[in-house]
Amino acid sequence: MTRTNGERTPAYPSSPKQRQRYARMLRAAAHLGAVHGLEGMQMHDVARRSGVAIATLYRYFPSKPHLFAAVLHDQVRRLDAGSPLPPQGAGPVEAVSELLTGASRQLFEQPLLALAMLQSNNVSHVGDGDPARRTDEIVADLILRMAGVSDPCDQDRRVVRILEQAWYGLLTTVLYERSTAEAAQEGIRLACRLLLGPVLCERRS
Amino acid sequence: MTRTNGERTPAYPSSPKQRQRYARMLRAAAHLGAVHGLEGMQMHDVARRSGVAIATLYRYFPSKPHLFAAVLHDQVRRLDAGSPLPPQGAGPVEAVSELLTGASRQLFEQPLLALAMLQSNNVSHVGDGDPARRTDEIVADLILRMAGVSDPCDQDRRVVRILEQAWYGLLTTVLYERSTAEAAQEGIRLACRLLLGPVLCERRS
């Protein structure tokens, strides 16, 4: 069954009951997405597993990409809310490296879900709040916080955006089996060093 | 009509007649992809426009992503074969910046085709030669050539891979209308400077 109602504005959960139901749908999608991936997962199975009507599921998530974008958004929000602290004694570049390689390791544990989320990440609207803070903005702010940059200038934000895009790209090469996880993790550390190093130097001088 | 024969190994064009037909299919896909994008373009229309049977089209390109990956591969191969020279007086970082921002400008002129190609770029097998040089390898070699690096070490290749991934990512943000072309082009130039600068410095010292 193909639904092409991607143009309709997705619903927001507002009451506590709606939020619970919304969380159940995200959990079901994360579980089934890890088993079946974007193509293989069926919206009907998500509705069944989360105990909602199929129409309800589509009201919140007009398509599978909307659903997986919301799962990613939820995972990133949790990571952010956990307010991870830089490892003791780590410099700012190392702190960001640890953040990104740690998150990568978790993503690699469920490669089908990770790929489904990254393939869906460009769906712009994630309906968990209005205005929703975009996934890439949450990640950017988290990177800046880990790097100890509390007053980012435009240039800092541009650099972090490049790092974020490089990170997604390196993750994708692993998930499509075009690169090993080890090579990608090494690439992520190198990207942190080359991109963030100058930003942080300028700041100290 | 849904075809799910993505597992079958695509055919290669070998005779001159096959190569002509292959080129016709790529041209038709580039034209129709620019108008309709990945989702909207129909394989039947590509077959009709290039004057081949639908079965022939599917023998070379088992799916639309295979077809658009081949269109991208073809465009990159042409760019490479044109052996662009660094602009006169340009340093190596500037030469690579010009290469990537120039290619970006061309891609932005046909945004639906560009998006279709980037969405398809992870299909691993592009059947225009055996062994086929992968699209990302051609781009990486071209970047190194433009930077004047004739004897790249492993670290150089890692850095270029990061730059390439960041470039694809920044392009994608524009094609999904999450960033302006100007901001992305500025990001590309900054990425070239930050990533390639140290490589080239080490080389000179």
Side-chain angles (χ1 to χ4, degrees):
Chain A
M1 174 173 157
T2 304
R3 298 284 283 249
T4 51
N5 51 352
E7 299 304 311
R8 200 193 296 163
T9 304
Y12 285 118
S14 49
S15 72
K17 198 178 150 199
Q18 284 172 345
R19 273 198 220 104
Q20 278 177 14
R21 202 161 56 175
Y22 188 86
R24 280 210 310 277
M25 292 185 274
L26 293 185
R27 273 200 304 275
H31 176 86
L32 294 168
V35 179
H36 303 291
L38 181 68
E39 291 290 317
M41 193 196 73
Q42 299 300 322
M43 290 293 262
H44 272 106
D45 292 332
V46 176
R48 198 172 303 124
R49 192 180 171 92
S50 48
V52 304
I54 184 76
T56 304
L57 180 64
Y58 275 112
R59 199 161 67 238
Y60 286 100
F61 309 106
S63 72
K64 285 195 270 183
H66 282 82
L67 181 50
F68 282 116
V71 173
L72 177 61
H73 189 264
D74 183 59
Q75 292 200 354
V76 165
R77 237 167 24 114
R78 279 166 200 274
L79 180 65
D80 183 57
S83 267
L85 289 173
Q88 210 152 25
V93 169
E94 198 184 333
V96 177
S97 287
E98 283 300 309
L99 172 74
L100 298 186
T101 54
S104 306
R105 257 192 308 277
Q106 288 195 0
L107 289 167
F108 294 153
E109 281 173 15
Q110 298 192 309
L112 287 179
L113 176 61
L115 192 55
M117 292 193 298
L118 286 176
Q119 287 170 326
S120 305
N121 190 25
N122 287 300
V123 168
S124 59
H125 200 89
V126 174
D128 80 318
D130 191 5
R133 200 157 55 119
R134 277 167 31 177
T135 302
D136 58 348
E137 290 168 350
I138 302 176
V139 173
D141 289 348
L142 186 52
I143 289 174
L144 287 163
R145 204 165 75 228
M146 290 298 275
V149 177
S150 55
D151 53 345
C153 62
D154 287 353
Q155 175 89 340
D156 296 336
R157 293 205 170 275
R158 276 194 285 271
V159 170
V160 166
R161 180 181 300 204
I162 294 167
L163 176 59
E164 209 178 332
Q165 294 299 336
W167 179 43
Y168 293 147
L170 292 169
L171 287 174
T172 305
T173 61
V174 176
L175 296 169
Y176 277 106
E177 300 180 355
R178 303 183 66 157
S179 162
T180 65
E182 292 68 32
Q185 298 282 42
E186 196 179 341
I188 291 165
R189 280 187 287 267
L190 179 59
C192 288
R193 210 161 64 234
L194 291 174
L195 292 169
L196 296 179
V199 170
L200 301 164
C201 283
E202 281 163 28
R203 197 164 287 277
R204 271 199 296 272
S205 65
Chain B
M1 176 172 154
T2 303
R3 299 282 284 248
T4 52
N5 51 350
E7 298 304 311
R8 199 193 297 162
T9 305
Y12 285 119
S14 49
S15 72
K17 197 179 150 200
Q18 284 173 346
R19 272 197 222 105
Q20 277 176 14
R21 202 162 56 178
Y22 188 86
R24 279 209 312 277
M25 292 185 276
L26 293 185
R27 274 200 303 276
H31 176 86
L32 294 168
V35 178
H36 302 292
L38 180 67
E39 291 289 317
M41 194 198 69
Q42 299 300 321
M43 290 294 261
H44 271 105
D45 292 331
V46 177
R48 197 173 305 124
R49 192 180 172 90
S50 49
V52 304
I54 185 77
T56 304
L57 180 65
Y58 275 112
R59 198 160 67 240
Y60 286 99
F61 309 105
S63 71
K64 286 196 271 184
H66 283 82
L67 181 50
F68 282 116
V71 173
L72 178 62
H73 189 264
D74 183 58
Q75 293 201 353
V76 165
R77 236 167 25 114
R78 279 165 199 274
L79 180 66
D80 183 57
S83 266
L85 289 173
Q88 211 152 24
V93 169
E94 198 184 333
V96 176
S97 287
E98 283 299 309
L99 172 74
L100 298 186
T101 54
S104 306
R105 255 192 310 276
Q106 288 195 0
L107 289 166
F108 293 153
E109 281 173 14
Q110 297 192 309
L112 286 179
L113 176 61
L115 191 56
M117 293 193 298
L118 286 176
Q119 286 170 326
S120 304
N121 190 26
N122 288 301
V123 168
S124 58
H125 200 86
V126 174
D128 79 319
D130 191 5
R133 199 157 56 118
R134 275 167 33 177
T135 302
D136 57 347
E137 290 168 351
I138 302 177
V139 173
D141 288 348
L142 185 52
I143 289 174
L144 287 163
R145 204 165 77 229
M146 291 296 276
V149 177
S150 55
D151 54 343
C153 62
D154 287 354
Q155 175 88 343
D156 296 335
R157 293 204 169 277
R158 276 195 284 271
V159 170
V160 167
R161 180 181 301 204
I162 293 167
L163 175 59
E164 210 179 332
Q165 293 300 335
W167 179 44
Y168 294 148
L170 291 169
L171 287 175
T172 305
T173 61
V174 176
L175 296 169
Y176 278 106
E177 301 180 354
R178 302 183 67 158
S179 163
T180 64
E182 293 68 34
Q185 297 284 44
E186 196 179 341
I188 291 164
R189 281 188 285 268
L190 180 59
C192 288
R193 209 160 67 234
L194 291 174
L195 291 169
L196 296 179
V199 169
L200 300 164
C201 283
E202 280 163 29
R203 196 163 288 273
R204 274 199 294 272
S205 66

